[in-house]
Amino acid sequence: MLLSSFSSSFSCLVALVLLVDAVLAGDPFAFLDWKVSYISASPLGVKQQVIGINGKFPGPTVNVTTNWNVVVNVKNDLDEPFLVTWNGFQQRKNSWQDGVSGTNCPIPSGWNWTYQFQVKDQIGSFFYFPSTNFQKAAGGYGGTIINNRAVIPVPFGMPDGDITIFISDWYIRDHKELRKTLEDGGDLGVPDGVIFNGLGPYRYNDTNVPDGIAYETINVEPVLFEPGKTYRFRVHNAGISTCLNFRIQNHNLLLVETEGSYTVQQNYSNLDIHVGQSYSFLITMDQNASSDYYIVASARFVNATVRDKVTGVAVLHYSNSQGPASGPLPDGPDEADTYSSMNQARSIRWNVTASGARPNPQGSFRYGDITVTDVYVIVSKPIELIDGRWCATLNGISYISPATPLKLAQQFNVPGVYKLDFPNHMMNRPPKIDTSIINGTYKSFTEIILQNNGTSVQSYHMDGYAFFVVGMDFGTWTENSRGTYNKWDGVARCTTQVFPGAWTAILVYLDNVGIWNLRAANLDTWYLGQEVYVSVVNPEINTKTDLPMPDNAIFCGALSTLQNQQSHKFKFSKASSLINLSDIRFVWILTMWLGVLVL
Ligand SMILES: *[C@@H]1O[C@H](CO)[C@@H](O)[C@H](O)[C@H]1NC(C)=O
Ligand SMILES: *[C@@H]1O[C@H](CO)[C@@H](O)[C@H](O)[C@H]1NC(C)=O
Ligand SMILES: *[C@@H]1O[C@H](CO)[C@@H](O)[C@H](O)[C@H]1NC(C)=O
Ligand SMILES: *[C@@H]1O[C@H](CO)[C@@H](O)[C@H](O)[C@H]1NC(C)=O
Ligand SMILES: *[C@@H]1O[C@H](CO)[C@@H](O)[C@H](O)[C@H]1NC(C)=O
Ligand SMILES: *[C@@H]1O[C@H](CO)[C@@H](O)[C@H](O)[C@H]1NC(C)=O
Ligand SMILES: *[C@@H]1O[C@H](CO)[C@@H](O)[C@H](O)[C@H]1NC(C)=O
Ligand SMILES: *[C@@H]1O[C@H](CO)[C@@H](O)[C@H](O)[C@H]1NC(C)=O
Ligand SMILES: *[C@@H]1O[C@H](CO)[C@@H](O)[C@H](O)[C@H]1NC(C)=O
């Protein structure tokens, strides 16, 4: 009796503290309403079904500031289940909102579901996209901007404009047909094109580009006075599997940020952007206006015939331009040269003196001084048949998504859904299909080596974290490879490339409790099982390191009997809109006193 009344007042206290935490900080809310549906569009001049958000492809840009709360009510008007994931929003303590098959039941067709999370302690450029059923191949993606808080200086002057650009390889076949091809062991083949913000190539050459395709034009102000207006271009490769070289004729790309980190500022004439990666460039309009200029995204590591067939071309148009862009496209790098591409990747470094989401410099987290305690060498192999199914594996295991999401199985102790036995190296045993995940150690500094044993370049993404890219090289990783690591200014990001026959090493501090997806960002091999989850559990259970399950959680699989109709509303947003500031002060004082009493 005594015990139960103590525990109920204690949980009440916890609830109050949480409420006060959420409200006292006065962090603003962004409320978004999204309808996800098929729309008809012709990205490559041929009408097809594309996934739009509020009727648009690409979808709306989410533009928020560090610490804001984001509430997104997603209505699924597709004919199949849907989940959106936030590629790079770190979802601190909150894998309930991550929107991947291991954390959330899919939103059934015709239902809506409200995501709510805080963009805690992060800045930068990211994008969101559908995470299941190969739907990303049909679009459904859009940009995300997380601005610095006003008190934190940005390491460059305020740009004159902020422009989001999506580049992606594209097929005219719809996503259901594409995934069927993969399931049947087929290769998707050469993409039909590369699109810019959902539009096809500008007709730079009558042979390579048919007539009548709508293309993207980026309108800018010209040089009014030296040295000209400067724009921030946030460029995302939201494609399926093609690495793209991005460049703008006669203009330098000053790289300043990638996936939430300010980089050392360097000029590039072109940059390889791998699937899932995001970069910010400052681009100064310092050329004459005698013509428009080409913006190019060309396929990497394919032969020239394929490259020319699929090159994406948009137009940079100065407002006083005298005429269209003409002549050949600006040259990109040599198609086959992975060495220069790797060197370029290594040249991208962290600006250790710039402030990121916090006032102290990014480099004050001295990752190079921290002792690594856990090591995983994760080997990816080309697609193979396992038990009659076409699969892609990591350390010989092709991940299969259970009917009950991992996160829910963990919450409700549903037995037999997953095993915490993902091996830390390639085992000498036949490959298998399994739900085997990494048992991460809370607050351990973990080294992950991604070894690509296939023949095409890959990229890997980890949800919930930014990791340090400390090394990459050709050949097989060995312990001696550690001697080449960058222990000082390796960039912290969430998506890194891994070249064929090569490895990339990342370091990650597992301080974010939850179940987090680590995957091949290449949609084809991800779809065929090239993913794993990392479970990070704080042995001292508390709501400060892992937020409670939201009351609108959808149940499925072994827990589907818990699901009734959908008419829940998330507590925080309701409470915060009802309580005014004087109430909050009162509640705060009350909790302080209760806290003292309990102690
Ligand atoms: C994002 O919002 C801020 C205000 O919060 C505004 O200054 C900025 O122009 C917006 N950026 C874009 C790209 O809309
Ligand atoms: C569905 O949307 C309605 C408002 O349109 C909202 O009240 C309700 O909470 C949403 N349901 C879920 C589960 O998010
Ligand atoms: C257009 O491309 C074709 C094939 O790549 C090339 O042979 C031709 O010279 C190009 N035409 C022009 C005008 O550049
Ligand atoms: C980058 O190039 C621009 C010219 O486009 C130049 O003004 C600037 O100084 C260069 N910046 C760096 C860091 O090299
Ligand atoms: C404008 O710039 C282009 C490219 O740098 C150059 O070829 C052209 O001669 C310039 N035109 C004028 C009028 O300065
Ligand atoms: C270029 O690559 C494509 C696809 O891999 C292949 O079908 C074609 O034969 C190659 N062409 C040349 C000239 O090597
Ligand atoms: C790094 O950031 C600082 C701002 O803190 C800035 O002054 C400096 O120019 C940046 N350095 C480079 C190389 O980008
Ligand atoms: C997972 O790791 C924790 C320590 O971090 C350990 O206590 C636990 O036994 C491990 N679980 C399994 C199933 O190996
Ligand atoms: C893949 O692994 C095999 C066996 O270890 C090795 O012989 C082969 O060179 C590797 N291929 C690549 C592309 O790394």
Side-chain angles (χ1 to χ4, degrees), residues 227 250-254 264-268 282-284 286-287:
N250 290 346
H251 291 73
N252 267 331
L253 311 175
L254 182 66
V264 167
Q265 296 174 15
Q266 292 178 102
N267 276 321
Y268 291 86
L282 295 184
I283 300 173
T284 301
D286 55 4
Q287 297 298 300

Side-chain angles (χ1 to χ4, degrees), residues 228-546:
K229 289 208 172 188
T230 297
Y231 292 77
R232 181 173 183 169
F233 280 58
R234 301 179 196 254
V235 188
H236 310 278
N237 182 340
I240 297 169
S241 64
T242 310
C243 170
L244 297 169
N245 181 266
F246 181 81
R247 53 195 188 273
I248 304 183
Q249 189 175 29
N250 290 346
H251 291 73
N252 267 331
L253 311 175
L254 182 66
L255 177 67
V256 293
E257 181 258 342
T258 181
E259 298 162 17
S261 283
Y262 290 116
T263 63
V264 167
Q265 296 174 15
Q266 292 178 102
N267 276 321
Y268 291 86
S269 57
N270 64 80
L271 194 84
D272 286 341
I273 306 184
H274 295 260
V275 176
Q277 293 186 327
S278 303
Y279 288 100
S280 285
F281 304 107
L282 295 184
I283 300 173
T284 301
M285 302 307 150
D286 55 4
Q287 297 298 300
N288 65 50
S290 57
S291 71
D292 292 344
Y293 294 92
Y294 294 124
I295 310 178
V296 180
S298 59
R300 288 291 269 133
F301 321 121
V302 294
N303 62 39
T305 318
V306 170
R307 184 197 58 204
D308 293 347
K309 176 174 172 266
V310 303
T311 300
V313 185
V315 166
L316 181 71
H317 176 77
Y318 286 25
S319 60
N320 60 342
S321 169
Q322 306 295 299
S326 61
L329 298 179
D331 282 339
D334 176 35
E335 330 58 92
D337 189 357
T338 47
Y339 284 86
S340 68
S341 187
M342 187 185 280
N343 277 334
Q344 188 183 58
R346 289 183 182 129
S347 75
I348 298 169
R349 286 171 300 126
W350 215 24
N351 182 338
V352 292
T353 61
S355 301
R358 289 167 179 265
N360 52 327
Q362 296 181 136
S364 45
F365 187 81
R366 303 278 292 270
Y367 71 87
D369 296 345
I370 305 176
T371 308
V372 166
T373 49
D374 292 14
V375 181
Y376 283 82
V377 180
I378 300 183
V379 181
S380 68
K381 291 261 184 189
I383 289 163
E384 61 193 314
L385 258 183
I386 306 175
D387 302 340
R389 273 172 73 148
W390 288 100
C391 293
T393 59
L394 295 176
N395 280 355
I397 300 173
S398 182
Y399 179 84
I400 183 155
S401 191
T404 316
L406 311 170
K407 182 79 183 155
L408 280 166
Q410 189 184 56
Q411 172 87 10
F412 290 89
N413 292 313
V414 182
V417 173
Y418 61 89
K419 284 172 278 183
L420 285 167
D421 65 351
F422 189 82
N424 64 6
H425 62 280
M426 186 80 178
M427 312 281 275
N428 189 14
R429 63 181 186 199
K432 58 175 179 176
I433 300 172
D434 210 347
T435 309
S436 165
I437 71 173
I438 293 179
N439 185 15
T441 313
Y442 179 55
K443 292 206 162 166
S444 70
F445 205 54
T446 298
E447 177 183 18
I448 301 174
I449 296 102
L450 300 158
Q451 178 86 49
N452 181 349
N453 192 253
T455 52
S456 52
V457 67
Q458 292 193 300
S459 33
Y460 282 85
H461 172 88
M462 185 169 182
D463 284 349
Y465 288 93
F467 49 69
F468 296 92
V469 182
V470 294
M472 54 178 82
D473 208 348
F474 293 97
T476 301
W477 180 89
T478 67
E479 303 216 342
N480 291 335
S481 307
R482 292 196 176 113
T484 68
Y485 284 6
N486 176 350
K487 297 204 138 190
W488 170 241
D489 61 358
V491 73
R493 63 186 309 171
C494 55
T495 313
T496 187
Q497 59 271 64
V498 188
F499 290 91
W503 55 267
T504 297
I506 61 176
L507 297 177
V508 57
Y509 180 52
L510 296 184
D511 64 341
N512 191 14
V513 170
I515 290 197
W516 301 107
N517 190 225
L518 171 63
R519 60 173 173 266
N522 310 73
L523 197 56
D524 46 0
T525 58
W526 177 20
Y527 187 71
L528 295 177
Q530 232 158 36
E531 66 177 319
V532 62
Y533 283 79
V534 183
S535 166
V536 181
V537 174
N538 179 353
E540 296 162 40
I541 296 191
N542 74 57
T543 45
K544 291 248 157 171
T545 54
D546 193 14

